[in-house]
Amino acid sequence: MAAVRLWIAASHDAAHRNGGWAFVRAGAEPVGRAGGERRTTRARMALAGFLSALKDVPAGAALAVVAPRPDALVLHALLKPPADPPTDAPDLRAALAKALTGRTWTLAIGDAAAATPTAFVTAWADMASEKAKASGAFEHAIPKPNLAKAKGL
């Protein structure tokens, strides 16, 4: 079975402490979701986006994850836990550790400046952060017409 391709991005506004995340999963029909929260961190948003992306991926499926550098650094601690593990977002880290048990996955840094799926999810994460600032926590599907316009899926 080929690896499930997944792009994830997070956004955080330090001044207002709101954040957002988005993911797109390639397949016969691309799937994407975006969400956000108030009073959060970028790391928490990256982890929340990854957890959301894994909700309906088959248990044995391998993953090929691509994220912008700041988010890839957060996710890397899940792939190769450091000697001194991060202490932020313990609830999300525990849920991800469980969801990733027995999975093979790779992590790559994506270019958020080029016309790529990484740029697409980065834009959606920024929009999600703004929506969370205005209306609080949410999670919604990215509309299919928007997914159809994403370059590289």
Side-chain angles (χ1 to χ4, degrees):
M1 176 192 289
V4 174
R5 295 181 305 148
L6 177 63
W7 291 267
I8 299 170
S11 179
H12 184 252
D13 178 351
H16 297 100
R17 296 181 41 210
N18 55 284
W21 56 264
F23 78 84
V24 172
R25 194 172 52 234
E29 190 170 316
V31 174
R33 296 190 70 74
E37 297 176 14
R38 291 181 178 157
R39 292 178 288 289
T40 191
T41 64
R42 184 179 188 118
R44 185 167 181 80
M45 292 295 87
L47 297 168
F50 193 20
L51 187 60
S52 181
L54 295 176
K55 284 182 184 171
D56 56 353
V57 174
L63 301 170
V65 180
V66 180
R69 183 172 176 70
D71 306 322
L73 291 172
V74 171
L75 300 179
H76 187 263
L78 297 168
L79 185 60
K80 289 190 169 193
D84 190 17
T87 57
D88 60 330
D91 56 331
L92 293 175
R93 289 184 187 281
L96 280 163
K98 183 177 178 183
L100 293 169
T101 300
R103 281 192 196 270
T104 302
W105 64 291
T106 60
L107 178 63
I109 295 174
D111 183 2
T116 64
T118 304
F120 180 81
V121 294
T122 298
W124 273 90
D126 289 344
M127 270 197 324
S129 179
E130 288 301 311
K131 180 175 170 69
K133 180 170 64 174
S135 59
F138 78 96
E139 181 175 339
H140 295 295
I142 295 174
K144 291 188 188 304
N146 294 88
L147 287 170
K149 295 176 187 174
K151 306 270 190 236
L153 286 181

